[in-house]
Amino acid sequence: MKLVLAIVSNDDASNVSAALTKDNFSVTRLATTGGFLRAGNTTLIVGCDDTLVERVIELVGQESKRRTEIVPSTASYDIGRYASFPVEVQVGGATIFDLDVAQFNKV
Ligand code: 2BA
């Protein structure tokens, strides 16, 4: 048995979780924080058969594709004026670990 840990952005977490659940995987969601950006992200825990790890990775990848989005940004000028302009940012993507499970019990 394997334990898959998938760290995804909060924006993608619901879609990833729904896709996994629809495919009959059991999923646990943890609210986590990235050490570098110190921003919230979501870690999904999936326990599954060894043969199904690739399917989990495929579903996570499908629902959390790295993409660019245009978001509004503001620049301030010393004269007390502000200008709003669009900037392109990268969002999405997933960091996935798969671990061997020594024992799995439900008591
Ligand atoms: P990613 O590499 O896509 O990582 C996204 C989040 O996944 C990370 O959030 C962290 O929560 C988790 N993560 C990634 N690799 C990990 C690992 N080896 N072990 C445990 N958790 C891991 P953040 O730490 O906030 O990082 C956000 C993004 O900032 C990263 O995106 C990467 O592009 C960049 N980054 C992270 N650490 C960096 C560093 N030391 N120097 C430069 N850029 C860094």
Side-chain angles (χ1 to χ4, degrees), residues 7-8 32-39 41 43 66 92-95 97:
I7 304 166
V8 300
T32 46
T33 304
F36 187 69
L37 296 181
R38 293 167 195 211
N41 52 29
T43 300
R66 207 172 271 279
T95 300
F97 300 88

Side-chain angles (χ1 to χ4, degrees), residues 8-55:
V8 300
S9 80
N10 288 342
D11 289 345
D12 294 328
S14 291
N15 286 348
V16 175
S17 178
L20 289 166
T21 306
K22 194 169 158 222
D23 243 35
N24 288 324
F25 290 104
S26 289
V27 184
T28 299
R29 282 172 67 155
L30 300 175
T32 46
T33 304
F36 187 69
L37 296 181
R38 293 167 195 211
N41 52 29
T42 300
T43 300
L44 299 163
I45 304 177
V46 184
C48 66
D49 196 80
D50 293 25
T51 57
L52 294 172
V53 170
E54 288 309 316
R55 179 65 182 150

